[in-house]
Amino acid sequence: MTFPAQPEPQVLRTADGNEQSAVRGSGTESFSPLYTYAFFLQPAPELLPFIRQTEGIHRSVQVFSPTGSRIAAAVEPMQDPESLQVSDEVLVRSALRHDQVICRLFAQMPVLPLRFGTCFLSAEKLGSHLLSRQAEYEQALAAIGGRAEYCLKGRVRPQPQPEPQSSLSGTAYLLARKQAYLQQRQAQEQQEQEQQALQQLWPSTWPVQRGDPQPGEALRLYFLLTPAEWEAAAQLTQTWLDQHPHWQLDWSAPLPPYHFVRALRDPLADR
């Protein structure tokens, strides 16, 4: 992953030459970039200590909200965001921590997760962004409230294919190879039909996104489900497996709605 090019951080210097950096919302202003994890509705007062006790990539997470906004952000002042990509090890560790922060927040309240590397260049820019898209983010949070994302990974156990015996005569060997090829084609066609049926198994009212299958996977689907819908999905899965024992279906744990936040397709357009 590469980060967008970042201009030099804006720094305010006092008369004695010391740099000042803080987060707006507590009566101060920020002159450093704000690494941003997620957006959410203004949290209840009892949640503030929990959020502030969450360890970010370098320091504790802070709550940012401009005056008059009903949307807040989980942020971390970060003087040099490009330092996150100084090495592969730092990049992977930072990306993992980014995801852990979002998951920790999501366990307590609905959030709109931002992709790894999201950084607003100043508190003013982040504040303007939240105010200008406040209604859009409120609508998105209302839509995902009470739901979680679940990833379904489908795999097909390979079926042994008989190899033609080398001791067969020329004509018989060719016929055996042709038969083996036809059987393989039939198996592939059957798998494609089963895969289509599996994608049509779920109620049409369930939000679902197709993902790119990883090596060894036949398909990957992302669902946005309520707890009751998740129970129904588990039952449908078991029924499917009873009828198709050569399939393996694995569900993820509940996740933040990474694949369903359309409002955040390009959250940095006005950074």
Side-chain angles (χ1 to χ4, degrees):
M1 167 177 290
T2 58
F3 290 89
Q6 299 278 353
E8 289 298 319
Q10 300 177 4
V11 175
L12 174 69
R13 296 185 180 277
T14 62
D16 58 3
N18 294 325
E19 296 181 358
Q20 295 180 340
S21 177
V23 176
R24 183 191 296 274
S26 59
T28 58
E29 296 186 353
S30 173
F31 298 93
S32 295
L34 294 180
Y35 186 93
T36 311
Y37 294 94
F39 299 150
F40 41 83
L41 294 175
Q42 287 282 1
E46 57 269 21
L47 273 179
L48 292 177
F50 170 84
I51 298 174
R52 292 166 180 161
Q53 291 168 6
T54 300
E55 285 299 318
I57 296 174
H58 295 311
R59 63 179 78 177
S60 298
V61 172
Q62 301 181 29
V63 178
F64 172 93
S65 182
T67 302
S69 175
R70 296 181 297 275
I71 302 295
V75 304
E76 178 182 341
M78 190 173 294
Q79 191 71 18
D80 182 15
E82 291 187 354
S83 65
L84 300 183
Q85 54 181 348
V86 296
S87 68
D88 290 343
E89 179 182 356
V90 171
L91 189 65
V92 171
R93 185 171 64 247
S94 300
L96 177 60
R97 191 60 199 161
H98 175 93
D99 184 63
Q100 290 172 339
V101 169
I102 293 175
C103 289
R104 176 177 163 86
L105 298 177
F106 178 69
Q108 298 296 322
M109 58 185 175
V111 301
L112 303 179
L114 297 173
R115 67 179 183 267
F116 173 61
T118 299
C119 189
F120 287 81
L121 301 182
S122 69
E124 290 73 19
K125 288 186 176 295
L126 176 53
S128 297
H129 178 88
L130 292 178
L131 290 171
S132 66
R133 301 184 67 174
Q134 179 170 235
E136 188 176 359
Y137 291 162
E138 283 183 310
Q139 183 179 4
L141 285 163
I144 66 173
R147 296 174 179 268
E149 177 176 307
Y150 295 87
C151 177
L152 174 64
K153 303 174 184 179
R155 299 178 175 86
V156 180
R157 297 184 179 92
Q159 302 297 312
Q161 299 294 331
E163 289 291 333
Q165 298 178 12
S166 58
S167 60
L168 295 175
S169 63
T171 302
Y173 179 78
L174 291 177
L175 289 175
R177 283 189 61 86
K178 181 179 179 180
Q179 182 65 26
Y181 173 76
L182 291 176
Q183 290 177 349
Q184 184 178 11
R185 285 291 303 272
Q186 290 173 354
Q188 291 175 346
E189 291 174 358
Q190 179 183 354
Q191 178 179 328
E192 292 174 359
Q193 294 173 359
E194 291 173 344
Q195 184 171 332
Q196 292 177 359
L198 180 58
Q199 295 182 79
Q200 298 171 359
L201 176 65
W202 321 101
S204 59
T205 55
W206 290 2
V208 59
Q209 297 280 349
R210 292 189 61 178
D212 294 329
Q214 299 301 306
E217 297 176 356
L219 87 164
R220 176 176 287 217
L221 300 174
Y222 297 95
F223 294 86
L224 190 65
L225 304 176
T226 64
E229 290 169 343
W230 157 242
E231 292 294 334
Q235 295 178 3
L236 287 171
T237 299
Q238 188 57 55
T239 300
W240 170 268
L241 291 175
D242 291 341
Q243 300 171 355
H244 305 84
H246 54 287
W247 276 80
Q248 177 182 340
L249 300 179
D250 297 314
W251 286 94
S252 72
L255 300 168
Y258 294 113
H259 292 84
F260 295 89
V261 187
R262 295 183 179 180
L264 300 180
R265 290 297 183 190
D266 187 15
L268 304 186
D270 52 0
R271 288 185 313 148

